[in-house]
Amino acid sequence: MRKKALASIFSAIMLVMLFTTRGIYAESLKLDVKEHVFKNGLKLLMFEKHDVPIVCVRINYKVGSADERPGITGVSHLFEHMMFKGTKIFGTKDFAAEKPLLDKEDDLVIRISAERNKDIPDTKKIASFEKELEEVRKKLRDLVVKDEVFALYFRHGAAGLNAATSSDGTYYFCNLPANKLELWAFIESDRMKNLVLREFYSERDVVMEERRLRTENSPFGLLMEQLNAVSFIAHPYRWPTIGWRSDVQNITKAETAEYFKKYYAPNNAVIVMVGDFNPDTAIKLVEQYFSNIPSQPTPPRVKTIEPEQKGERRTEVEFESNPYIAISYHIPQIGHPDLYALDVLASLLSDGRTSRLYRSLVENKRIAVMAHAFNQISKYPDSFVLLAAPRAPHTVEEVESALYEEIEKLKNAPPSDWELQKIKNQLEAEFIRGLNSASGLANEIGEFEVLADWRYINTFMDKLSQVTAEDVMRVAKKYLVKRNRTVATLIKKEHGNGKAEETKETHKAGLPMTID
Amino acid sequence: MIINKYFVFSLVVIVYAFSIVHPANLFAQAQSHELGHERPAVPPVTSPESEGGKKVSQFKFKPLNFAPPKVDRIVMENGMILYLLEDHNLPIFNMVARIRTGAIYEPPEKAGLANLTGYVMRSGGTPSMQADKMNEELEFMAASVETSIDRESGNATLSVLKKDIDKGLKIFADVLMHPAFPEDKIQMRKDEVVEIIRRENDNPSQIANREFRKIIYDSKHPYSRRVEGTLESIEKITREDMIAFHKKYFHPNNIILGISGDFNKEEIIKKLNEVFAGWKKENIQFPEVPKVERQFERSVYNIYKDINQANVMMGHLGIHRRSPDYFPVTIMNFILGGGSFNARILSRIRSDEGLAYSAFSAFQTSQDLGMFFVSCQTKLESTNRAISIALEELDKMRNTPVGDEELAQAKETFMNQFIFRFVTSANIVGQKVEIEYEGLPLNYLETYLDNVKAITRDDIQRVAKKYLHPDEIKILVVGDKERFDKPLNNFGKVNLIELK
């Protein structure tokens, strides 16, 4: 046992270390996160780090695309965008004047949509509604204070301002100079209390452009969307977080507002603070601004359980791009003991130049330019994914069988001690390096809290260090089998066989989307 | 572990676009004011328009007490410049090196030479440690040594835990001084580069970035080329070319080293002297790089690709990094299209009309004249509209002075964000290295806030007139022009570029 005297160094940033007898030195590194839960159910997680006067704050909501239903897929992500559009007191010169106009706008949009959906739409009627709508929007625009939330944050020195949505959570990021924490509390509590779905229709169009950019015109985005849609037949992980095209185009403001009320309550939220602040002061500040926001009934969990896969599934995507291949295997949800061995397995396969896929597919056989494996750890059972790009003239078929060859090897022989120890050393170093970034720590604490519990980070290191070569073999045999897999390939579309089209439903149900 | 995330604002897309052109300084990585103290809140020029804004203006913020740590600069006997910053918070150690070299110095028929050399330096190992062994050594101790050569600089990094500093330094120095360039690793990388080039046309923004460079710069200038080279030029590069290229530029007097983390200054200098022992100063003759010729002329280009969203890039020559107008241009661009939601271009194209997810403008800077460009992606049916809005905004920027409030917003953003330049010691040292490499005044960070503070509305308008030329702009659109809202030739005669 070689204990290194690192504890004193770490304690300076509130890190507690435990030692075990394994490994090069400390195997168990732990974060000491302070926790406070307010009366309305809002949770505050705090980690002090006083080297630079900044504070990285996150507000995460335990809601993501898995909580949606067909017809409103993409609403969590759309809502993420809407949170930047202001409140009753931000982003508007006069909410009292704005409110009736917003109602009028919604009413006209609904009328236009209804008329368009009739078998024989009355084009004159539509034209007159549209004219009226344009006038309403002109008035609305005069009342808006453009992107004020963003401007205020920026002006006070906020950085890394953004938000993100995944299948399990929605994350609002903000890094501030340490003296501006109250600004954050004021704006964020108001967003939770008094949100206004302003500029809803144009933002929905923005999301459509985002969909075109990241999914419809991206070989990679398209492939992953199709892979998920075929891997899952029942569970909501089957739809993309950004939503299906027709749903995004048609989500109504009423549906969005209802969704907000149900899921974006303090009892479904967690605040994470990492940086230069005093926890007692922070608790008081959050109390002052957030405690009067009422909690809501506990939102339902997803009840659908993905049925066991009964045989290999395959799908092909034609696109104007060179080939790719993606393979997924169903695996359990966060907290399941097998996941740790699967993490090690993924690392073994594709972390670094000494990883198996790199050595075999990229370096020795030279049939691929990229080959990766990753574990998608989620709230509900998700998937283990392999992804590769063949090097011409090699084909996806060659790459696919080379991938299986590597997997079979793992089933038949245990990984070497060297490989396992390397992975453990890397995890430990990664943990230590991670402590250097307040922003990264805030993300990590917040993400694991959304999935399960931030303490997962602490137990994770222990559990991983206990993974044995036999465990790796066992999970390879258990999960990485033919009947549990889905294979998606992207193949090059011949030039001119059908153009990329906007689907027709756009027109039928389409609402006036832009203000000209 | 959560990989499929969608963001409200695409930093990802933008960073990607920047990285293709040049990764420097167009973001509002702003500057606050004199080091050490937060500026006292300046009362807004006009009163806030919203109730919330009014409340915020009443807030009193305590000053930030922070003095950035002092970074030591040392010139070694062998000419190597060191920047050192001890930080004992965590047992980690980082080094970053800048080497004056780049693709600008390679002969055009061997395009890709610099980039290939930079890659194989590390991937090929050294005579004393073969590549496989090096990979194993480094990865087992969770360390990394990486090298690369870009358009206008060479880079090398070392990241290692404190306990492995000696081993890490040894490998790092060995890679810099004695790369082996084995034939098999060269061939392997060449094959990969060929595949990367083959795959470029898969992605609309990659097409746009590559072709836009060719449109902006004369084909004889190295700025017009891609650093990876072409299918033909890659073929022609030999091992001897790479050895010669390395030999020419990799000398200690041509290196700036940034060192940060858990180390002791005296000790590390001693160690550096040991690992670099025998490495001597050398006189380097840099090949002459032709000057970028100033030429402005409106032209329009279209590349057909079967996609449902047009990828637009429009722009012309801009400024170089040491331009005395750099500060006013940066602030002007922040207002125009660099300041994300606060910027005029995004505000109109995205926020008002929902035409695009990402829309921004940038002055990419380099040693000689860089590019100014506007980039956006919009559905085919709104292509013309989006381009027109961007052109209108350029006109407006030239012809109408910016508002006091708008300028104050931009300047305060830069000044208050200044603290984020100091979030890690590696980050601070990295900036110092960058500043020295770019030939900027060494007190650049110390004077940055005053430079921002001094900018006036007149400055903004002067630089807008001088550096924005909407009438002489080059417009490139990837997408099916048959489906645009209005004919593209509204903007000028359309030149078609065939994808190969």
Side-chain angles (χ1 to χ4, degrees):
Chain A
M1 185 167 85
R2 293 162 65 201
K3 288 184 189 175
K4 294 249 173 168
L6 295 170
S8 61
I9 300 163
F10 286 139
S11 64
I13 55 161
M14 302 295 291
L15 182 89
V16 177
M17 290 182 57
L18 302 174
F19 298 100
T20 71
T21 53
R22 304 162 59 105
I24 292 181
Y25 55 94
E27 278 288 352
S28 292
L29 304 165
K30 295 201 193 287
L31 291 179
D32 184 16
V33 176
K34 286 201 175 74
E35 195 173 311
H36 186 92
V37 182
F38 297 89
K39 280 204 187 86
N40 59 3
L42 179 65
K43 191 187 262 189
L44 172 61
L45 300 176
M46 297 165 285
F47 187 87
E48 291 174 76
K49 185 175 180 336
H50 297 286
D51 49 352
V52 190
I54 58 166
V55 184
C56 300
V57 273
R58 310 287 179 257
I59 294 197
N60 296 348
Y61 292 92
K62 296 177 186 179
V63 58
S65 53
D67 299 297
E68 297 161 358
R69 57 174 168 78
I72 60 162
T73 65
V75 71
S76 316
H77 169 252
L78 175 64
F79 186 77
E80 170 214 316
H81 282 236
M82 294 315 300
M83 275 283 245
F84 285 87
K85 291 298 186 181
T87 66
K88 289 174 190 166
I89 60 166
F90 285 113
T92 182
K93 289 171 194 160
D94 181 359
F95 183 65
E98 193 186 17
K99 180 74 175 76
L101 289 166
L102 284 169
D103 293 343
K104 181 87 189 152
E105 181 190 33
D106 296 340
D107 180 54
L108 285 164
V109 166
I110 290 163
R111 279 163 191 258
I112 292 166
S113 171
E115 192 57 44
R116 283 218 176 117
N117 282 317
K118 282 184 182 164
D119 291 336
I120 310 159
D122 183 340
T123 49
K124 268 192 196 152
K125 228 179 188 176
I126 293 175
S128 116
F129 285 151
E130 279 181 343
K131 200 167 161 247
E132 213 178 321
L133 184 63
E134 218 159 282
E135 276 158 27
V136 170
R137 285 182 172 163
K138 211 177 276 167
K139 285 184 202 158
L140 274 171
R141 222 196 279 184
D142 290 339
L143 289 169
V144 167
V145 183
K146 286 301 287 179
D147 298 302
E148 193 188 16
V149 166
F150 212 87
L152 279 169
Y153 268 135
F154 248 37
R155 190 169 191 156
H156 286 90
L161 201 58
N162 212 335
T165 312
S166 71
S167 53
D168 299 320
T170 313
Y171 316 84
Y172 292 86
F173 311 104
C174 183
N175 306 330
L176 286 159
N179 60 343
K180 300 290 172 59
L181 203 55
E182 188 170 4
L183 175 81
W184 165 87
F186 179 50
I187 294 179
E188 292 308 318
S189 60
D190 196 56
R191 291 214 279 186
M192 210 188 275
K193 265 183 276 209
N194 293 320
L195 192 85
V196 173
L197 297 177
R198 189 173 282 128
E199 299 175 305
F200 178 82
Y201 302 99
S202 64
E203 200 58 28
R204 213 173 49 176
D205 288 348
V206 167
V207 173
M208 276 305 299
E209 292 297 347
E210 184 178 358
R211 199 185 140 77
R212 288 187 186 93
L213 182 70
R214 294 181 158 190
T215 306
E216 298 174 11
N217 296 313
S218 153
F220 198 65
L222 200 58
L223 184 69
M224 293 311 284
E225 179 175 284
Q226 294 297 310
L227 179 77
N228 274 330
V230 180
S231 295
F232 294 93
I233 58 175
H235 194 271
Y237 283 171
R238 67 179 317 221
W239 56 71
T241 293
I242 199 165
W244 295 118
R245 164 179 269 274
S246 52
D247 288 355
V248 175
Q249 283 172 317
N250 293 301
I251 295 169
T252 65
K253 205 192 261 187
E255 286 163 335
T256 310
E258 191 196 316
Y259 195 79
F260 171 61
K261 191 161 186 271
K262 195 162 166 188
Y263 291 103
Y264 295 77
N267 50 313
N268 203 37
V270 56
I271 294 171
V272 183
M273 275 181 205
V274 177
D276 187 22
F277 64 94
N278 174 304
D280 296 334
T281 318
I283 292 169
K284 277 190 205 125
L285 188 70
V286 175
E287 172 83 35
Q288 182 191 337
Y289 283 98
F290 289 85
S291 63
N292 62 353
I293 307 173
S295 58
Q296 298 292 328
T298 308
R301 275 180 68 91
V302 175
K303 292 189 196 79
T304 307
I305 295 168
E306 179 68 17
E308 191 191 336
Q309 191 165 335
K310 297 289 189 184
E312 185 190 59
R313 295 180 198 140
R314 301 188 76 90
T315 184
E316 207 173 67
V317 186
E318 290 183 23
F319 191 64
E320 216 184 71
S321 148
N322 287 287
Y324 283 101
I325 180 166
I327 302 170
S328 77
Y329 297 90
H330 292 283
I331 55 165
Q333 74 287 356
I334 188 165
H336 192 285
D338 287 350
L339 281 188
Y340 305 103
L342 282 162
D343 267 338
V344 170
L345 201 155
S347 248
L348 202 68
L349 282 175
S350 78
D351 280 358
R353 291 180 175 102
T354 60
S355 68
R356 294 194 174 192
L357 295 185
Y358 184 81
R359 277 191 165 163
S360 154
L361 274 72
V362 181
E363 217 169 43
N364 295 336
K365 295 185 181 143
R366 313 252 306 267
I367 57 176
V369 281
M370 176 272 274
H372 281 294
F374 52 91
N375 225 0
Q376 304 202 86
I377 299 184
S378 305
K379 194 167 181 174
Y380 306 104
D382 204 334
S383 45
F384 182 94
V385 178
L386 296 166
L387 191 68
R391 185 174 74 82
H394 299 281
T395 61
V396 285
E397 289 78 15
E398 280 173 81
V399 170
E400 189 180 351
S401 40
L403 289 171
Y404 296 152
E405 213 175 282
E406 286 307 317
I407 286 171
E408 289 313 306
K409 271 187 207 157
L410 284 169
K411 292 180 189 169
N412 298 322
S416 70
D417 291 345
W418 187 90
E419 281 177 305
L420 286 185
Q421 192 55 51
K422 171 192 73 172
I423 290 165
K424 290 170 187 177
N425 295 349
Q426 287 180 349
L427 278 160
E428 193 175 284
E430 219 173 273
F431 185 91
I432 295 171
R433 290 192 174 107
L435 296 171
N436 214 2
S437 161
S439 172
L441 274 173
N443 292 348
E444 196 160 330
I445 295 167
E447 284 179 9
F448 283 110
E449 179 65 21
V450 161
L451 296 185
D453 187 322
W454 65 267
R455 288 174 188 82
Y456 187 87
I457 301 166
N458 287 346
T459 55
F460 180 74
M461 295 296 291
D462 284 341
K463 302 267 183 173
L464 270 161
S465 66
Q466 288 159 21
V467 171
T468 64
E470 289 67 38
D471 290 333
V472 174
M473 274 178 87
R474 184 179 58 79
V475 295
K477 282 183 194 157
K478 183 171 173 188
Y479 298 103
L480 308 186
V481 295
K482 188 178 175 196
R483 65 177 260 160
N484 189 35
R485 82 179 168 222
T486 302
V487 183
T489 52
L490 190 135
I491 60 161
K492 193 158 190 157
K493 183 168 66 172
E494 291 311 313
H495 208 64
N497 73 359
K499 286 187 172 185
E501 283 200 30
E502 295 282 309
T503 33
K504 290 292 179 246
E505 73 233 317
T506 316
H507 241 79
K508 176 99 172 144
L511 303 170
M513 301 212 188
T514 54
I515 315 156
D516 261 312
Chain B
M1 292 191 195
I2 299 160
I3 58 151
N4 270 315
K5 266 194 195 161
Y6 289 84
F7 290 86
V8 70
F9 187 62
S10 182
L11 292 175
V12 185
V13 172
I14 291 183
V15 167
Y16 173 70
F18 276 106
S19 66
I20 297 253
V21 219
H22 183 78
N25 48 49
L26 294 153
F27 269 121
Q29 270 311 340
Q31 322 306 316
S32 173
H33 84 183
E34 72 231 53
L35 298 175
H37 302 281
E38 176 86 343
R39 224 162 55 104
V42 177
V45 187
T46 54
S47 65
E49 294 174 295
S50 77
E51 194 189 326
K54 280 177 195 133
K55 284 189 179 159
V56 168
S57 70
Q58 309 292 312
F59 278 38
K60 299 269 182 286
F61 301 107
K62 280 185 201 149
L64 269 196
N65 288 313
F66 176 68
K70 205 183 154 304
V71 180
D72 288 309
R73 181 183 185 276
I74 292 171
V75 184
M76 307 256 280
E77 238 171 75
N78 62 11
M80 200 184 272
I81 297 168
L82 309 184
Y83 280 97
L84 304 112
L85 178 55
E86 286 185 29
D87 173 2
H88 302 287
N89 273 327
L90 292 168
I92 51 183
F93 179 80
N94 290 301
M95 282 211 317
V96 52
R98 273 288 181 114
I99 302 99
R100 189 163 306 282
T101 176
I104 49 168
Y105 299 127
E106 69 197 8
E109 68 278 7
K110 304 254 174 163
L113 169 61
N115 200 251
L116 193 64
T117 305
Y119 189 92
V120 183
M121 268 180 76
R122 162 65 184 88
S123 77
T126 66
S128 58
M129 191 185 275
Q130 285 203 343
D132 290 354
K133 176 83 179 131
M134 189 178 286
N135 295 340
E136 282 170 13
E137 284 271 321
L138 287 169
E139 291 188 4
F140 193 77
M141 57 184 182
S144 75
V145 169
E146 294 297 334
T147 57
S148 65
I149 302 179
D150 216 328
R151 189 179 306 283
E152 290 187 304
S153 84
N155 302 282
T157 56
L158 164 68
S159 176
V160 69
L161 291 178
K162 179 187 181 163
K163 65 187 173 64
D164 299 316
I165 287 180
D166 289 347
K167 281 193 248 174
L169 280 179
K170 208 164 157 255
I171 297 176
F172 180 81
D174 198 24
V175 164
L176 280 186
M177 295 187 293
H178 312 117
F181 296 114
E183 287 285 4
D184 60 330
K185 298 286 180 189
I186 295 174
Q187 192 54 47
M188 183 181 151
R189 183 56 189 168
K190 278 187 177 181
D191 290 347
E192 279 174 5
V193 172
V194 166
E195 184 64 24
I196 290 165
I197 296 172
R198 281 189 64 254
R199 284 178 175 267
E200 258 176 16
N201 289 347
D202 294 353
N203 186 316
S205 68
Q206 277 184 328
I207 299 172
N209 281 306
R210 179 190 67 206
E211 297 300 322
F212 190 67
R213 187 165 273 289
K214 290 192 204 160
I215 289 164
I216 296 295
Y217 293 106
D218 185 273
S219 64
K220 286 190 214 68
H221 198 280
Y223 282 2
S224 72
R225 302 194 297 255
R226 32 186 346 290
V227 291
E228 288 82 359
T230 65
L231 296 179
E232 298 76 41
S233 69
I234 286 287
E235 278 296 300
K236 295 192 191 116
I237 300 169
T238 64
R239 176 168 184 262
E240 285 63 43
D241 293 332
M242 297 170 70
I243 292 170
F245 194 86
H246 168 262
K247 201 172 166 199
K248 189 170 168 93
Y249 300 103
F250 284 76
H251 301 290
N253 49 315
N254 199 32
I255 295 178
I256 308 164
L257 207 54
I259 306 166
S260 59
D262 195 4
F263 66 91
N264 171 286
K265 226 171 287 167
E266 280 71 43
E267 264 174 44
I268 215 76
I269 291 171
K270 213 172 124 227
K271 285 176 185 186
L272 286 172
N273 276 318
E274 278 163 28
V275 294
F276 288 121
W279 211 25
K280 297 249 157 51
K281 269 187 193 174
E282 202 71 54
N283 194 9
I284 305 165
Q285 295 291 328
F286 291 93
E288 201 181 322
V289 180
K291 272 203 79 63
V292 171
E293 279 177 42
R294 285 172 188 277
Q295 43 134 339
F296 292 89
E297 196 185 335
R298 170 72 75 96
S299 50
V300 182
Y301 302 84
N302 177 237
I303 300 171
Y304 173 80
K305 176 137 175 107
D306 186 10
I307 45 180
N308 65 17
Q309 187 181 49
N311 206 299
V312 179
M313 276 195 90
M314 48 201 282
H316 47 61
L317 290 174
I319 59 169
H320 54 77
R321 184 62 183 86
R322 287 187 307 278
S323 164
D325 288 331
Y326 179 79
F327 285 97
V329 165
T330 304
I331 297 289
M332 185 272 286
N333 185 64
F334 180 87
I335 295 169
L336 174 67
S340 72
F341 283 109
N342 292 179
R344 294 173 177 184
I345 287 177
L346 191 74
S347 177
R348 284 200 58 200
I349 294 182
R350 170 168 165 159
S351 188
D352 283 355
E353 305 203 15
L355 300 182
Y357 174 61
S358 156
F360 65 97
S361 67
F363 278 84
Q364 165 266 330
T365 57
S366 33
Q367 296 288 326
D368 202 339
L369 294 184
M371 300 191 278
F372 161 73
F373 64 91
V374 177
S375 165
C376 78
Q377 300 84 30
T378 185
K379 61 185 178 296
L380 298 173
E381 294 74 17
S382 49
T383 307
N384 210 296
R385 175 96 189 111
I387 296 172
S388 303
I389 291 175
L391 288 173
E392 273 170 42
E393 290 305 324
L394 298 192
D395 263 328
K396 198 174 140 209
M397 196 54 140
R398 272 175 63 91
N399 299 324
T400 323
V402 294
D404 282 330
E405 180 65 18
E406 206 173 12
L407 179 59
Q409 162 84 25
K411 286 166 67 172
E412 282 180 35
T413 300
F414 273 69
M415 297 197 275
N416 285 328
Q417 283 184 347
F418 191 50
I419 185 73
F420 287 98
R421 289 200 166 229
F422 303 94
V423 286
T424 65
S425 49
N427 183 297
I428 299 168
V429 164
Q431 287 181 85
K432 288 286 188 184
V433 170
E434 175 82 17
I435 287 162
E436 172 120 23
Y437 188 80
E438 295 285 357
L440 296 165
L442 296 187
N443 65 350
Y444 183 82
L445 287 173
E446 289 79 0
T447 55
Y448 197 117
L449 293 168
D450 289 335
N451 280 325
V452 173
K453 215 189 283 181
I455 295 165
T456 65
R457 291 169 72 200
D458 291 345
D459 293 329
I460 300 291
Q461 212 187 350
R462 178 181 61 78
V463 297
K465 275 200 188 308
K466 190 168 172 191
Y467 298 108
L468 299 178
H469 307 283
D471 296 338
E472 295 158 332
I473 205 162
K474 297 178 193 301
I475 303 171
L476 170 72
V477 189
V478 181
D480 184 357
K481 70 178 165 56
E482 302 301 318
R483 291 170 59 191
F484 294 168
D485 43 348
K486 283 179 193 161
L488 196 56
N489 61 21
N490 270 2
F491 302 109
K493 185 178 162 291
V494 179
N495 303 286
L496 297 177
I497 300 174
E498 278 285 320
L499 278 186
K500 275 180 250 164

